[in-house]
Amino acid sequence: MFSLDAHTLAQAHGYVMCGHCSAGFDSLATLTEQLPPEPFQELPANEPAFTPPQLDLAVYRPHQDEPEPSLAEPLAELDEFAQLVVTPRFARSREPGPRHWPWVLTCLVLTLLLAAQLGWACRDVLIANPVTGHWLRSTCTVLDCRLPLVRDASKLQLLARDVQTHPTVPDALLISATVRNDADFAQPWPVVGITLYDLNGKAIAMRRLGPSEYLGDPAAQRRGLGPDATTALVFEVDDPGKRAVTFSLDFE
């Protein structure tokens, strides 16, 4: 009696050998999960669980007086047979000729055009990236070109703000703000949202001002707000009355 596991059974489909006398036997025929009752009795011999494969094709070695076949003869016959086979046109190898260069040049031009299109589609990401943006700005400095402006309102830092009655326009307020661009790249002037609140924090007036409404210089609008640049913005808005006690500024 032996103790064994499923891995041992699977190795030879249940056919195992005794570790004491090296006799082989089929363990599946007498497999049990519990010990048999005593006294133990020797079980009858059984056949293996599988039948060994039978070999029908015999290979005879030639006698010493017969010359052994040479490998060159079948190889020569194989070469003659290969010469009779017609190779398809698409499988024939051709030496590259001078007529291939237009195709190579066309593929190269198309690849460059595709790369340019992808770069233009992802220009904002490339310019905003510290590595690629620095490389692009350096290249434009050498080539005397200008990169398109990339908008990132999260990089605009409000340093100071103030509101007062307009000195020359009646029923109007004059709001000023100091803004710094913390980005490494120039970005367009933001759309500024101004909201006025009453004493309870309820919004009573709101207005969105585009760059053309608070900047009088078209050239400054085209240049945008440079990297690490600080500027003062002034806004003229209607005075909603004494109910307005505080305000907020948002950049878009």
Side-chain angles (χ1 to χ4, degrees), residues 151-221:
R151 186 182 303 277
D152 188 357
S154 62
K155 298 293 184 179
L156 297 178
Q157 183 70 24
L158 181 62
L159 302 180
R161 62 176 187 170
D162 185 33
V163 59
Q164 59 182 346
T165 303
H166 201 290
T168 58
V169 180
D171 299 328
L173 297 177
L174 196 64
I175 298 177
S176 60
T178 303
V179 182
R180 183 182 64 206
N181 180 19
D182 290 339
D184 296 333
F185 48 86
Q187 58 175 312
W189 296 93
V191 176
V192 182
I194 302 176
T195 306
L196 302 177
Y197 303 91
D198 60 10
L199 188 61
N200 298 323
K202 181 180 178 181
I204 59 177
M206 183 180 65
R207 184 178 177 182
R208 297 173 68 252
L209 300 173
S212 60
E213 297 179 88
Y214 61 82
L215 285 180
D217 187 1
Q221 296 184 36

Side-chain angles (χ1 to χ4, degrees), residues 60 65 75 86 102 118 132 140 161 174 204 220 241:
Y60 298 93
D65 54 351
L75 291 178
V86 179
L118 292 176
T132 57
C140 273
R161 62 176 187 170
L174 196 64
I204 59 177

Side-chain angles (χ1 to χ4, degrees), residues 92-149:
R92 298 176 185 175
S93 60
R94 296 184 299 176
E95 295 295 332
R99 292 180 297 178
H100 288 179
W101 70 265
W103 293 103
V104 176
L105 181 60
T106 303
C107 292
L108 180 60
V109 172
L110 292 177
T111 302
L112 294 177
L113 290 177
L114 178 60
Q117 291 179 354
L118 292 176
W120 179 256
C122 303
R123 60 188 182 277
D124 291 351
V125 178
L126 295 176
I127 296 174
N129 185 273
V131 178
T132 57
H134 175 73
W135 181 81
L136 291 174
R137 286 188 292 271
S138 301
T139 304
C140 273
T141 302
V142 176
L143 300 178
D144 193 19
C145 61
R146 178 177 298 178
L147 293 175
L149 299 178

Side-chain angles (χ1 to χ4, degrees), residues 1 35-41:
M1 290 177 295
L35 289 175
E38 297 183 2
F40 300 147
Q41 297 180 0

Side-chain angles (χ1 to χ4, degrees), residues 17-57:
M17 297 182 63
C18 176
H20 299 276
C21 63
S22 300
F25 62 96
D26 184 6
S27 62
L28 293 176
T30 57
L31 186 66
T32 179
E33 295 183 356
Q34 300 178 354
L35 289 175
E38 297 183 2
F40 300 147
Q41 297 180 0
E42 184 178 357
L43 297 176
N46 50 74
E47 297 297 328
F50 62 93
T51 302
Q54 182 178 358
L55 302 180
D56 296 328
L57 181 60

